[in-house]
Amino acid sequence: MQLTVWTYEGPPHIGAMRVATAMTGVHYVLHAPQGDTYADLLFTMIERRDKRPPVTYTTFQARDLGTDTAELFQSALADAYERFKPQAMLVGSSCTAELIQDDPGGLADALRLPVPVIPLELPAYQKKENWGAAETFYRIVRTLASPRQGQERPKNERPLANLLGPTALGFRHRDDIVEITRLLDSMGIGVNVVAPLGASPADIQRIPDADFNLVLYPEHALSAAQWLERAFKQPYTKTVPIGVNATRAFIAEVAQIAGVSADVPERTRLPWYSRSVDSTYLTGKRVFIFGDATHALAAARVASKELGFQVVGLGTYSREFAREIRAAAAEYGVEPLITDDYLEVEAAVRDSNPELVLGTQMERHIAKRLGIPCAVISAPVHVQDFPARYSPQMGFEGANVLFDTWVHPLMMGLEEHLLRMFREDFEFQEAPSHLGAAPQAPKEAPAARELAVAAPAEVALADTPATPSALVWLADAEAELRKIPFFVRGKAKRNTERYAAEKGISNITVETLYDAKAHFSR
């Protein structure tokens, strides 16, 4: 085990909590010591949920280890059922409680509760959070959506799909569901069940009524979808609709499965924006990408194929999807990075020298330390990445969000670069502030002051050409000068005055301005 100040994923019981918290009518009894109750804050503080997760902790302490902790678990389970009256219950152990080797599933079975109790065996020291979420969802689906005996799937008036994979603490899962539901509706396809987000145990029982499944987040839903295909002959989609091209491919795949038209209006600005004059500045930008496999793979495709970026780094902390990341990295000609050590990621970012980083909350910190623009594309995230506004990542509107989110830090980086480049320019200093403060005169460089004091006055006069103060800018020349962008206006003015002084011109006209430009452009 490695001690760290940051982790991309928690232990697998955190993944189970994400599924339980996403659902309704489900309660999770977790055999855990008092210190493991920190996980509540992940949902109430970061996701800003208005209620606690549906989790009861046994919260045993050190003194309890000498007594019967099994009885403590059964008592907590019985109390939780009586208090919350859930439609189904999950039971399991945290990574710490796993060491005392109680059997939550067997202990729960002995109580004979009148609702389904689903035991979770999550190896805390071999697996992590996303695997725990996938295993929990798989167990719920397999328990509650059991194969029908001799019953056929009902004939639906229009094709029905299940949307599988969104959980609590998911990156923009809430808005992705809205966007994909709208997209399906425009194709004449209805949504049967969204799970686990917002689903009840009764909804899970209805999953077999759909014609097919949409796997939006393979990290959480792939194993359940594969079982549903075997048990109910329900096909599932393989395309994740992030980006314009992927959304088009997703529509074509769904249309083929459902037997409907793929003619859907594309309400997206990304293709035009990425070809526009303003975006030519983005072409060839070096980008480093790291996150969960779903979002990292999608980001690499969008960056490379739709925005013209150069992918210089690609990685994930999702070891279960390392094969897919390695294949994509080979396509982009980069070395794949499969790690959950943020220090390795920081070293890779530094070595690849990117101009933009797309990653998790941790990469935001790394990029800030290295002075590189960054946009968050994947969990784990912090509170600012659960916005109040509508901000999907999937579908055509999601493509618009991607463009704005990724281009904004680059444009801000350009703005800051220009401010640093021209902050000593006297024209920049003389420009009025939007705050209304009086402009300050530029400070004279210390070296220049010392040189002026040390040099005799007559020598300075002999070696210096006619000063700009002796020159007169005519009105038409000043008007033409103001048309030049502020960040190069100062240089243009200095060059013109230098040219005029060298040629012995005292009155600067428009012709003088353009003659100077031609002179210094040679």
Side-chain angles (χ1 to χ4, degrees), residues 151-190:
Q151 298 183 30
E152 294 184 359
R153 187 181 306 123
K155 300 296 183 182
N156 303 309
E157 294 183 359
R158 62 174 183 166
L160 289 180
N162 297 314
L163 275 55
L164 305 183
T167 68
L169 280 182
F171 184 65
R172 310 292 172 82
H173 288 192
R174 173 199 66 192
D175 296 341
D176 285 346
I177 293 304
V178 175
E179 183 67 18
I180 297 304
T181 300
R182 291 174 178 171
L183 181 61
L184 293 175
D185 185 65
S186 69
M187 299 176 68
I189 299 173

Side-chain angles (χ1 to χ4, degrees), residues 82-327:
E82 290 299 328
R83 179 180 178 185
F84 298 104
K85 298 295 184 183
Q87 301 170 33
M89 301 191 77
L90 306 174
V91 295
S93 298
S94 73
C95 49
T96 309
E98 186 180 323
L99 299 175
I100 63 177
Q101 298 183 339
D102 283 335
D103 177 17
L107 295 172
D109 188 58
L111 290 180
R112 303 296 180 187
L113 295 176
V115 295
V117 178
I118 304 168
L120 302 177
E121 296 183 6
L122 308 176
Y125 297 97
Q126 290 82 38
K127 300 293 185 177
K128 293 203 171 184
E129 180 179 325
N130 278 333
W131 184 91
E135 177 69 9
T136 300
F137 185 50
Y138 167 76
R139 292 294 171 188
I140 291 173
V141 169
R142 183 151 188 172
T143 301
L144 300 178
S146 57
R148 299 164 182 256
Q149 299 297 326
Q151 298 183 30
E152 294 184 359
R153 187 181 306 123
K155 300 296 183 182
N156 303 309
E157 294 183 359
R158 62 174 183 166
L160 289 180
N162 297 314
L163 275 55
L164 305 183
T167 68
L169 280 182
F171 184 65
R172 310 292 172 82
H173 288 192
R174 173 199 66 192
D175 296 341
D176 285 346
I177 293 304
V178 175
E179 183 67 18
I180 297 304
T181 300
R182 291 174 178 171
L183 181 61
L184 293 175
D185 185 65
S186 69
M187 299 176 68
I189 299 173
V191 173
N192 180 49
V193 171
V194 176
L197 187 63
S200 67
D203 292 327
I204 301 298
Q205 292 176 342
R206 294 192 298 107
I207 283 180
D209 295 343
D211 298 294
F212 60 100
N213 294 311
L214 305 183
V215 178
L216 300 183
Y217 308 99
E219 286 89 349
H220 304 150
L222 183 58
S223 56
Q226 290 172 338
W227 180 81
L228 288 167
E229 184 178 46
R230 294 191 301 269
F232 300 103
K233 302 297 186 278
Q234 286 179 320
Y236 64 89
T237 57
K238 279 77 173 178
T239 306
V240 177
I242 298 179
V244 173
N245 292 337
T247 300
R248 291 169 179 163
F250 174 80
I251 291 171
E253 183 182 13
V254 169
Q256 183 177 13
I257 294 174
V260 299
S261 171
D263 186 15
V264 175
E266 296 186 3
R267 299 183 178 89
T268 180
R269 302 175 184 87
L270 185 146
W272 161 241
Y273 277 22
S274 62
R275 296 194 306 268
S276 66
V277 174
D278 290 343
S279 292
T280 56
Y281 157 75
L282 305 175
T283 304
K285 287 293 183 184
R286 297 167 57 85
V287 59
F288 183 96
I289 301 169
F290 191 88
D292 67 40
T294 295
H295 289 92
L297 291 169
R301 286 194 300 269
V302 174
S304 175
K305 307 298 183 184
E306 300 181 26
L307 293 176
F309 293 167
Q310 179 188 358
V311 177
V312 297
L314 177 62
T316 184
Y317 56 81
S318 303
R319 295 185 182 276
E320 293 82 8
F321 293 85
R323 180 179 300 176
E324 290 83 350
I325 290 290
R326 290 192 177 99

Side-chain angles (χ1 to χ4, degrees), residues 286-290 312-314 337 341-358 362-363 365-373:
R286 297 167 57 85
V287 59
F288 183 96
I289 301 169
F290 191 88
V312 297
L314 177 62
L337 180 62
D341 186 343
Y342 69 95
L343 295 176
E344 287 186 33
V345 178
E346 181 168 1
V349 172
R350 188 185 299 108
D351 292 344
S352 60
N353 192 29
E355 296 166 276
L356 175 67
V357 174
L358 302 176
M362 189 63 240
E363 281 66 54
H365 296 310
I366 291 171
K368 184 176 181 180
R369 283 198 297 271
L370 298 178
I372 304 171

Side-chain angles (χ1 to χ4, degrees), residues 190 477 499 514:
Y499 174 81
Y514 282 99

Side-chain angles (χ1 to χ4, degrees), residues 12-30 40 43 47 49 51-57 86-92 118 120 122 129 132-138 140 165-169 195-201 204 220:
H13 73 266
I14 299 297
M17 288 183 64
R18 290 177 60 179
V19 172
T21 304
M23 296 182 66
T24 62
V26 172
H27 199 84
Y28 183 22
V29 177
L30 185 62
D40 278 16
F43 302 93
E47 198 175 19
R49 297 182 67 87
K51 54 183 176 294
R52 286 188 61 250
V55 181
T56 293
Y57 304 90
Q87 301 170 33
M89 301 191 77
L90 306 174
V91 295
I118 304 168
L120 302 177
L122 308 176
E129 180 179 325
E135 177 69 9
T136 300
F137 185 50
Y138 167 76
I140 291 173
T167 68
L169 280 182
L197 187 63
S200 67
I204 301 298
H220 304 150

